[in-house]
Amino acid sequence: MKKYLIFTISFLLLYTLLQISSGLFLTATYTPDFSESLGMSNTLSQEVIFVQSSQIPTLIIAVLSAISAYFILNKVAKKN
């Protein structure tokens, strides 16, 4: 039971940390393109467009978190 808790807690912490850091990185490197949003008139559009994004980055972060949590579990288990 202890191993399960260690793995679960480390996985959740790593997953949250990686998601937040990737979100911060993507926000910091995003450059909006105002030329397309202006269109023919010189006013900003009030339309919001939602784009279907890929689930691959989330899957990669989950796999990296699981692998890291596994190695953390092995390190903690060896100490005990």
Side-chain angles (χ1 to χ4, degrees), residues 37 44-50:
S37 63
L44 289 175
S45 173
Q46 298 295 321
E47 182 180 347
V48 177
I49 299 172
F50 294 98

Side-chain angles (χ1 to χ4, degrees), residues 32-61:
D33 186 14
F34 289 115
S35 63
E36 288 182 11
S37 63
L38 289 176
M40 292 298 197
S41 64
N42 287 333
T43 60
L44 289 175
S45 173
Q46 298 295 321
E47 182 180 347
V48 177
I49 299 172
F50 294 98
V51 179
Q52 178 86 19
S53 64
S54 173
Q55 297 299 321
I56 300 291
T58 305
L59 181 63
I60 291 172
I61 289 175

Side-chain angles (χ1 to χ4, degrees):
M1 184 69 174
K2 182 182 175 185
K3 285 184 176 184
Y4 177 74
L5 286 175
I6 292 171
F7 178 81
T8 303
I9 291 170
S10 61
F11 173 77
L12 291 174
L13 288 174
L14 287 167
Y15 184 77
T16 303
L17 181 70
L18 286 173
Q19 284 286 61
I20 290 172
S21 60
S22 69
L24 288 172
F25 174 75
L26 291 172
T27 301
T29 58
Y30 177 72
T31 306
D33 186 14
F34 289 115
S35 63
E36 288 182 11
S37 63
L38 289 176
M40 292 298 197
S41 64
N42 287 333
T43 60
L44 289 175
S45 173
Q46 298 295 321
E47 182 180 347
V48 177
I49 299 172
F50 294 98
V51 179
Q52 178 86 19
S53 64
S54 173
Q55 297 299 321
I56 300 291
T58 305
L59 181 63
I60 291 172
I61 289 175
V63 168
L64 288 175
S65 298
I67 292 169
S68 300
Y70 176 75
F71 285 118
I72 289 171
L73 175 64
N74 284 340
K75 286 255 188 205
V76 171
K78 284 182 183 179
K79 288 183 180 180
N80 291 335

